[in-house]
């Protein structure tokens, strides 16, 4: 029985301000993927989306249509900036092959989770916005819509192409940050080093500042706002793939090309030093990032064994930055700290081997889980169930849910204050009370472990 | 004295909402109330006495809404009398009268047709008659039908209507039994026993 | 659907009435309030509050009794029925959008057929936009299912030649709303048959003309859909009755029949007393039985006389009509006899007489009447102290049972609604398993307001509600005891 997975149907970004005159509707389209679809159909896609929004606004003016389900696809609409709309249409997974009359295929209509899909669209915009700033902002600073279209095409397409639409699971919805728990001493040591580096350089370059430091795919310290941290963390871990062996996975990172446009490149080999900056002349290739305010900053990433440090500086101050000096001070300080970080990193594995769990703290976005996002523990049924439970938690209707599936898997989920905890067991013959005991033990151990001295 | 017992099947036909169900209500329960669109057919039975004959009236109240038109055939089959109703104040309802009269004549040639104008009380309160008397008389003549005007709200002529139907039927079947002579011919003026109860009954709906 | 020709013939009162016209039109002498108990009139609390408020306004603002009676006179003059609630609203009124749950039926070509609120003719353009959206998706060889916008769900059910839409901000899961639309669709089929509907549509006649008088049934059905547990569980509630008595009743129903008789059912309100299938044919499905119960409950006239109606049972056969004999044997006890011949009325009427004679023997009728009055039970009968409420479904027969509400749910209508909502969510979650197509084995759900525990097996589903403060241990114990109690009572709770 052939099963086709969820896949991208189409993606479109349009401006509702353009193409108002009859016959010019196609001008609304700013970016459409895949480009094999003719302009007529592209315009139709925009048209139906505007129709959904207009219609739903009659009933829900503050929150117009955001999700559409059809038999064969699931769509998410997003309005990140005034008059700018983004629509993601994903094909529902299907079983069987279509017969001559087009029937016979069975579509699985509820596998793609609404929250996860919405998150996906938001993230696409997030990535765009981080490296390009807002679209309206670009227009107001003098770009033409043609220029915007070109940029959207070159920047968003590669990102879009690497999204796995059949893996929109709880992890993508939560979009959490893995923190590396370190003991107080190490924490303070690192904190002090970074402080001193900061102060040192800020003497001459006021805009220079530290952003975040990661060890592999775990965050140690951040001086940025929560959302900024999450965005950059996401970029480093999921795109640049800092925690992983570079040869085994496709890394993507953003650098400015010779036209000063942000472009996707591969990261290249691991080494100690500033990422993708073979010499100081490559300064101009460092990408700009737009974080909370509308002022772009240059992003500098320093790699030292498995530690990654991120700094920000105003473009105007960039020429004066002495990279060698910066590198030197970092090497000195972090070489010392590395082994300790490594042992801390390995410690966390012990608890992780015993239980299959996901822990998420909404307050600091911390996520902990031994479950591989694309691994065997997260089969379709579990994925769907976790998504559903999370949705229940999100709308505040429950604080604890326990499920035993047809395949005899127990999933226990709790929400206490802002923390969510999911744990699963495959003990076929346990009763609900026995499972309850096990969960109690697990949570006790876990929280002991979480708050390392 | 042994009584004759005969079955008399009566069917009510006509446009929706002319008041067929109200007529049945009035006859069965001597009440006037709020009613709703009939679906299908509702059957009620009542005993009446005509001389020394006991008449078992089986009254079929049918639905006037269009989709039941074809089905209503099964209700009037082998009926002895048909009460074809129209609303005295609504000309639109008259059209159906000819339709039913025609159909009955074709399919049930032996059936006795009674053309009954309903909601008489409204006319008595000053509303205009929607159908001129001449038209009614003409049609009645053409189909050999009797004419009545009733008001279910006041009760006027309802029991007279059924009384007359029963008597006529007995005459037909008994063929010669002496019966008190009730006027039952075609003209409007003297066929109806005018009921002196003409007080306004406001707020008739419960 | 019949247009309300409210023309004022009484010139003297014309001005007064015109003034009060808009207010008065909102005052609905509710069909339902005449026919069913006020207890059953639990429409959406939002609606009810609106209604009370408006009713108060009428009473306060009316100038005299004469105005009211003149209004009543007008009702008579028109179609003989009071205007439907909110029938004056349409999409140009902002209040129309405020209703929490709209239902629409339109033809596949966009022509309006029914709207729960407002006059469907005036909603022409609105219906056209609904139709446009689903047609567009159809043209892509796809089918529109539902839209989500904030707290609104727009659910579409496309069943040629009808499109059914629900626009709801009630927070119900879309799967439940879809099930409700299916019921509404089946109701329409039961009135027309699927074949007729297609034929009429393709001949380009107006389907509305054929649906005269069905508003009442739709309105009542929607009302039931919003609160009936047995419908939620896709099952039928049985009247609680001693097994022996029920067997005797079943025997009597089996005994008295005629050639064309297919099924005999005895129901009491929305509960099944007994059913017999006289020929080798498909059994009746729950949805069909619910539609029948809906017809009977909505039609007061069935209580007064014997009725003979053509009806289509969509799940039995949606292409032709069966003929249904309906007669109340006693208050609250209704006999339904199905025949495939339009001529069988008198024979079935005879059957009814014999059935009554049969029931009068050996006190069966008395037992039955007692049972009808004593059906309702509360959780206290189970002697499980911490049990607040439960739903049980016997999956072998698709029968269900549940107690009436006790405190805290019985005190406020809002609490009943809230619990019902919660059950809607939980039944959806329990049954949402895509792959195995079977429900989860256990489901346990706690919130601030209650804990619900669910267990399913191949032959049952049990949903039990407890206080949120109960420990898992006590809940588990109580749950097991409840299951035991139900098993012990199965003889009287369900038709065996």
């Amino acid at each position: 029985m052939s099963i086709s997975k969820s896949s991208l149907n189409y993606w479109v970004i349009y401006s509702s301000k353009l193409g108002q005159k009859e016959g010019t509707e196609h001008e609304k389209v700013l970016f459409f993927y895949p480009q094999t679809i003719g302009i007529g159909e592209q315009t139709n896609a925009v048209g139906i989306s505007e129709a959904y929004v207009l219609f739903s606004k009659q009933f829900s003016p503050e929150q117009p249509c955001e999700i559409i389900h059809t038999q064969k696809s699931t769509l998410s609409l997003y309005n990140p900036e005034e008059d700018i709309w983004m629509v993601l249409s994903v094909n529902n997974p299907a079983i069987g092959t279509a017969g001559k009359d087009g029937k016979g295929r069975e579509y699985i209509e509820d596998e793609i989770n609404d929250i996860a899909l919405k998150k996906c669209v938001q993230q696409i915009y997030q990535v765009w916005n981080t490296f390009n700033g807002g679209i309206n902002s670009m227009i107001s600073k003098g770009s033409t819509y043609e220029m915007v279209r070109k940029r959207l095409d070159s920047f968003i397409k590669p990102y879009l192409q690497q999204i796995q639409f059949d893996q929109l699971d709880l992890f993508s919805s939560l979009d959490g940050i893995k923190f590396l728990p370190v003991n107080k001493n190490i924490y303070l040591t690192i904190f002090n080093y970074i402080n001193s580096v900061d102060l040192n350089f800020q003497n001459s370059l006021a805009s220079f500042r530290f952003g975040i430091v990661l060890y592999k795919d775990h965050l140690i310290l951040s001086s940025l706002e929560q959302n900024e941290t999450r965005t950059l963390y996401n970029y480093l871990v999921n795109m640049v793939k800092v925690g992983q062996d570079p040869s085994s996975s496709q890394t993507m990172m953003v650098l400015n090309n010779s036209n000063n446009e942000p472009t996707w490149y591969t990261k290249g080999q691991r080494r100690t030093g500033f990422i993708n900056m073979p010499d100081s002349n490559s300064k101009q290739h460092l990408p700009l990032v737009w974080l909370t305010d509308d002022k772009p900053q240059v992003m500098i990433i320093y790699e030292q064994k498995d530690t990654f440090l991120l700094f920000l500086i105003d473009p105007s101050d960039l020429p004066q930055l002495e990279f060698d000096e910066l590198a030197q001070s970092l090497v000195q300080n972090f070489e010392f700290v590395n082994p300790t970080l490594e042992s801390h990193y390995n410690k966390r594995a012990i608890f992780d081997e015993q239980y299959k769990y996901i822990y998420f703290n909404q307050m600091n976005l911390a996520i902990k889980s031994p479950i591989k996002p694309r691994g065997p523990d997260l089969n379709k049924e579990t994925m769907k169930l976790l998504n559903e439970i999370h949705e229940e938690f999100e709308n505040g209707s429950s604080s604890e849910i326990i499920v035993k599936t047809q395949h005899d898997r127990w999933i226990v989920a709790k929400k206490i204050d802002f923390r969510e905890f999911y744990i699963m067991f495959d003990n076929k013959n346990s009763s609900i009370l026995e499972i309850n005991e096990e969960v109690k033990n697990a949570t006790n151990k876990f929280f002991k472990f979480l708050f390392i001295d | 004295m042994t009584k004759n017992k005969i079955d008399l099947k009566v069917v009510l036909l006509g446009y929706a909402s002319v008041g067929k169900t109200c007529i049945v209500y009035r006859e069965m329960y001597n009440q006037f109330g709020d009613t709703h669109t009939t679906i299908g057919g509702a059957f009620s039975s009542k005993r009446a006495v005509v001389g020394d004959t006991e008449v078992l009236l089986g009254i079929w109240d049918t639905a006037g809404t269009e989709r039941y038109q074809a089905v209503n055939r099964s209700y009037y089959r082998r009926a002895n009398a048909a009460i074809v109703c129209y609303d005295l104040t609504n000309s639109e309802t008259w059209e159906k009268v000819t339709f039913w009269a025609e159909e009955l004549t074709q399919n049930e040639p032996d059936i006795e047709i009674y053309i009954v104008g309903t909601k008489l009380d409204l006319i008595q309160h000053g509303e205009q008659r929607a159908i001129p008397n001449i038209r009614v008389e003409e049609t009645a003549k053409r189909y050999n039908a009797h004419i009545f005007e009733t008001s279910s709200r006041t009760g006027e002529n309802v029991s007279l209507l059924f009384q007359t139907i029963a008597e006529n039927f007995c005459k037909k079947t008994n063929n010669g039994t002496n019966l008190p002579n009730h006027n039952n011919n075609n003209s409007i003026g003297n066929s109806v026993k005018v009921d002196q109860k003409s007080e306004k009954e406001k707020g008739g709906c419960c | 659907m019949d247009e309300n020709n409210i023309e004022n013939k009484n010139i003297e009162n014309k001005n007064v009435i015109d003034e009060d016209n808009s207010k008065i039109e909102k005052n609905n002498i509710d069909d339902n309030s005449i026919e069913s108990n006020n207890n059953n009139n639990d429409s959406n609390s939002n609606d009810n509050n609106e209604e009370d408020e408006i009713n108060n306004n009428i009473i306060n603002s009316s100038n005299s009794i004469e105005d009211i009676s003149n209004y009543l006179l007008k009702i008579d003059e028109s179609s003989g029925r009071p205007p439907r609630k909110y029938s004056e609203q349409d999409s140009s009124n902002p209040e129309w959008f405020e209703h929490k749950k709209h239902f629409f039926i339109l033809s596949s070509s966009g022509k309006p057929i029914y709207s729960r609120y407002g006059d469907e003719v005036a909603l022409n353009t609105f219906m056209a936009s609904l139709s446009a959206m689903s047609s567009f998706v159809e043209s892509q060889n796809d089918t529109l299912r539902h839209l989500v916008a904030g707290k609104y769900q727009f659910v579409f059910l496309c069943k040629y030649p009808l499109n059914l839409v629900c626009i709801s901000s009630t927070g119900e899961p879309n799967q439940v709303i879809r099930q409700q639309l299916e019921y509404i669709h089946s109701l329409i089929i039961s009135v027309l048959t699927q074949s007729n509907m297609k034929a009429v549509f393709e001949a380009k006649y107006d389907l509305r003309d054929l649906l005269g008088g069905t508003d009442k049934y739709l309105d009542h059905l929607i009302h039931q859909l919003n609160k009936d547990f047995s419908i939620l569980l896709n099952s039928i509630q049985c009247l609680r009755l001693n097994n022996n008595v029920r067997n005797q009743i079943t025997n009597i129903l089996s005994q008295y029949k005629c050639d064309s008789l297919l099924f005999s059912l005895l129901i009491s309100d929305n509960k099944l007393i007994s059913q017999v299938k006289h020929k080798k044919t498909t059994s009746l499905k729950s949805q069909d039985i619910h539609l029948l119960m809906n017809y009977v409950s909505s039609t007061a006239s069935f209580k007064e006389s014997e009725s003979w109606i053509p009806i289509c049972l969509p799940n039995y056969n949606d292409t032709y009509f069966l003929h249904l004999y309906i007669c109340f044997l006693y208050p609250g006890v209704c006999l339904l006899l199905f025949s495939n011949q339009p001529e069988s009325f008198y024979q079935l009427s005879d059957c009814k007489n014999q059935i009554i004679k049969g029931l009068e023997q050996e006190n069966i009728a008395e037992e039955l009447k007692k049972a009808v009055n004593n059906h309702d039970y509360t959780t206290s009968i189970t002697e499980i102290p911490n049990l607040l409420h439960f739903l049980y479904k016997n999956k072998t027969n698709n029968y269900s049972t549940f107690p009436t509400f006790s405190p805290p749910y019985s005190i406020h209508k809002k609490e009943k609604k809230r619990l019902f909502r919660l059950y809607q969510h939980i039944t959806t979650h329990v049954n949402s398993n895509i792959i195995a197509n079977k429900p989860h084995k256990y489901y346990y759900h706690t919130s601030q307001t209650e804990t619900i525990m669910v267990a399913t097996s191949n032959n049952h589903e049990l949903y039990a509600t407890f206080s949120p403060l109960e420990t898992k241990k006590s809940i588990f114990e109580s749950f097991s005891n409840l299951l035991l109690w139900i098993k012990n009572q199965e003889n009287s709770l369900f038709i065996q």
Side-chain angles (χ1 to χ4, degrees), chain B residues 25 36 41 43 67 75 153, chain C residues 35 76 210 304-306 308:
Chain B
Y25 253 59
H36 301 282
F43 182 81
R67 70 174 174 280
Y75 298 117
R153 181 184 288 157
Chain C
E35 301 191 37
D76 252 311
L210 294 180
E304 267 111 35
S305 47
E306 296 162 89
W308 182 234

Side-chain angles (χ1 to χ4, degrees), chain A residues 21 24 84 132 136 152 191 207 263 317 327 344 357 366 376 403 420 426 435 440:
Chain A
K21 271 195 264 168
T24 65
I84 303 288
N132 294 273
N136 285 330
L152 286 169
F191 185 75
S207 70
T263 320
D317 281 343
H344 275 91
Y357 71 93
V403 183
E420 290 173 39
D426 289 308
I435 291 291
K440 262 200 221 147

Side-chain angles (χ1 to χ4, degrees), chain B residues 75-93:
Chain B
Y75 298 117
Y76 67 65
R77 266 181 84 180
R78 297 190 218 113
N80 309 108
I83 300 175
V84 182
C85 304
Y86 69 98
D87 182 341
L88 287 164
T89 67
N90 185 347
S91 55
E92 207 179 333
T93 66

Side-chain angles (χ1 to χ4, degrees), chain B residues 177-195:
Chain B
T177 316
N178 258 340
L179 291 170
N181 191 17
H182 272 266
N183 7 16
N184 58 356
N185 49 27
N186 290 345
S187 62
I188 298 172
N190 54 1
S191 70
V192 165
K193 218 180 176 179
V194 175
D195 224 305

Side-chain angles (χ1 to χ4, degrees), chain A residues 297-315:
Chain A
Q297 299 175 326
V298 179
M299 177 170 71
I300 303 166
I301 305 172
Y302 185 82
E303 181 180 1
Q304 154 111 19
K305 278 242 194 99
D306 286 311
T307 310
F308 293 83
L309 295 118
L310 189 150
F311 298 92
L312 300 162
I313 190 170
D314 261 5

Side-chain angles (χ1 to χ4, degrees), chain B residues 114-137:
Chain B
Y114 294 78
I115 297 178
V116 176
T118 61
K119 309 192 188 179
L120 180 60
D121 50 295
L122 297 178
I123 304 290
Q124 288 163 339
H125 284 139
E127 268 202 50
Q128 288 278 54
R129 278 173 187 278
I131 305 97
N133 291 346
I134 304 206
R135 279 268 290 286
V136 182
E137 287 174 27

